[in-house]
Amino acid sequence: MNDSIRELTEKFNNSPALKGCIKINESLKKHTTMKTGGEAVLFVSPRSEDDARFVMESCILHKVRCFPLGGGSNVVPADGELFLVILSSENLDSLSLNGGTVTAGSGIKMSRLTSFLKENSLGGFEKFAGLPGTIGGAAFMNARCYEKDVSSNIKSIEFLEIDGKTLTVQKKTIQYKSEDWDYKKSPFTGKNAFITKIELGGFEEKDPGEIKKECDFYINDRIQKGHFKFPSAGSVFKNNRSFGKPSGRIIDEAGLKGFAIGGAQIAPWHGNFIINTGNALSSDIKALSDHIKKKIKENTGFSLETEIIFLENSPFSYDNIMK
């Protein structure tokens, strides 16, 4: 443990607000849907926005990289020890309803959110039933399910952002603007930001039984498509309309389905899924992803863009402190 990490650990341990919120050398296998990765030297789950700000400001002061984590459904951490602070939203789990507006802490699981909407007769979000991860992560990536973007139900978002010039943490709120959102694109793309709270709206009054029926349909469809057979991080590559077909079909047509490196395998039933067959390393998944990109480039000239995030150890810089 280097001096910066040691000082930061001591600082967090001496903070009453963070009591019970700190884990040392925490395995990230427990916090990602791919179930791979090494240990984060510090894993912090603040209970409030102010506590999250304290963690971020402390990381800046001690020059330690900080990485925001929701449900870990789109992240593959490197193997071995990661010398960074994982800033988890799991304790930001408030959920309330005022009129037709739902206010959710960023750590709310998508499964809990869809259940809450059903219980309150609010329809229009059923396509996200069965989606792993949190609402904060879904907003950060602008998750898309069955041609519907999660941003279509977002009214506003509160977040903390690191100002690269003054090296301070600023609280910000943005209102939904359609020009800020696109396929797998959000206002947070490339930013040093940690989402804390989201306002959702645009729902329709609907019978809970009908909502349940539709939710069950999408959950069962995911089951039939093999989404839950093995640990995975969902779609590995973004779709590019200019290619004329989905990335999964391009990979299928290249004859890559079922190809494996170590414990990582291209799902035999879907070319755009990499699965952990039981003993995969993150390095296996990265190598397999690189192999797919190389083969598709050779076969078609297309350059596939990775959707999942490979979290690597990297030298500290203020530019990548939250990336």
Side-chain angles (χ1 to χ4, degrees):
M1 183 181 291
N2 63 35
D3 290 341
S4 293
I5 294 292
R6 186 179 295 106
E7 291 169 4
L8 202 54
T9 302
E10 183 177 350
K11 185 174 187 176
F12 291 163
N13 280 330
N14 288 334
S15 169
L18 292 179
K19 185 176 181 180
C21 299
I22 306 164
K23 296 176 183 176
I24 298 172
N25 295 329
E26 177 72 358
S27 172
L28 295 178
K29 292 180 181 180
K30 299 187 294 185
H31 299 279
T32 59
T33 57
M34 187 62 91
K35 306 300 181 187
T36 65
E39 297 180 340
V41 292
L42 276 177
F43 186 99
V44 187
S45 309
R47 298 186 184 95
S48 71
E49 180 184 271
D50 286 342
D51 295 342
R53 183 201 300 270
F54 172 70
V55 172
M56 292 169 68
E57 290 175 339
S58 298
C59 287
I60 293 172
L61 180 63
H62 292 273
K63 297 184 179 180
V64 175
R65 187 181 174 201
C66 182
F67 183 83
L69 186 69
S73 62
N74 215 35
V75 179
V76 177
D79 305 307
E81 194 171 33
L82 281 86
F83 293 93
L84 46 70
V85 171
I86 293 292
L87 181 60
S88 169
S89 65
E90 62 185 13
N91 283 332
L92 300 178
D93 57 357
S94 61
L95 192 57
S96 63
L97 175 63
N98 183 9
T101 298
V102 173
T103 302
S106 60
I108 289 290
K109 296 285 188 182
M110 294 294 282
S111 56
R112 184 180 167 199
L113 178 58
T114 52
S115 294
F116 180 83
L117 294 172
K118 177 192 68 178
E119 292 162 5
N120 287 279
S121 305
L122 297 175
F125 207 71
E126 293 85 347
K127 290 182 177 181
F128 296 102
L131 184 71
T134 62
I135 183 59
F140 195 96
M141 302 294 291
N142 193 18
R144 173 175 290 189
C145 296
Y146 302 96
E147 302 304 314
K148 178 181 174 69
D149 292 338
V150 75
S151 58
S152 61
N153 287 102
I154 290 176
K155 294 180 68 175
S156 68
I157 298 181
E158 292 182 11
F159 62 101
L160 300 172
E161 183 179 12
I162 295 176
D163 186 312
K165 294 182 179 179
T166 62
L167 298 179
T168 55
V169 179
Q170 308 292 331
K171 176 183 176 179
K172 296 187 177 181
T173 302
I174 57 169
Q175 305 297 321
Y176 174 82
K177 293 181 181 179
S178 59
E179 61 267 27
D180 294 334
W181 303 82
D182 203 342
Y183 169 67
K184 301 297 172 68
K185 174 182 176 293
S186 80
F188 306 100
T189 304
K191 285 191 174 182
N192 299 322
F194 179 66
I195 296 174
T196 57
K197 189 181 296 183
I198 301 175
E199 280 192 342
L200 300 161
F203 304 111
E204 55 184 288
E205 188 173 345
K206 206 168 185 178
D207 178 74
E210 185 61 30
I211 294 175
K212 181 181 185 305
K213 182 179 178 181
E214 290 189 35
C215 286
D216 288 347
F217 170 81
Y218 290 110
I219 291 171
N220 289 330
D221 188 58
R222 295 178 194 277
I223 292 172
Q224 292 298 317
K225 290 178 178 177
H227 287 205
F228 309 122
K229 286 183 179 180
F230 294 89
S232 78
S235 296
V236 179
F237 302 102
K238 296 180 182 180
N239 292 318
N240 188 325
R241 292 178 182 175
S242 68
F243 295 165
K245 60 188 72 173
S247 295
R249 188 181 303 172
I250 294 171
I251 296 166
D252 291 350
E253 292 174 355
L256 291 172
K257 279 198 301 187
F259 183 80
I261 294 179
Q265 182 185 38
I266 302 171
W269 59 89
H270 196 305
N272 203 14
F273 270 54
I274 290 179
I275 60 173
N276 177 357
T277 60
N279 61 347
L281 299 174
S282 292
S283 56
D284 296 335
I285 297 161
K286 181 65 165 62
L288 187 52
S289 170
D290 290 343
H291 176 79
I292 294 169
K293 288 193 285 188
K294 181 174 182 290
K295 287 297 181 183
I296 297 305
K297 182 67 174 179
E298 291 173 351
N299 290 357
T300 66
F302 298 151
S303 297
L304 295 179
E305 184 180 355
T306 308
E307 179 176 328
I308 57 178
I309 298 169
F310 289 99
L311 176 58
E312 306 282 350
N313 270 317
S314 60
F316 174 86
S317 75
Y318 290 115
D319 289 335
N320 75 1
I321 188 171
M322 290 285 286
K323 296 179 184 177

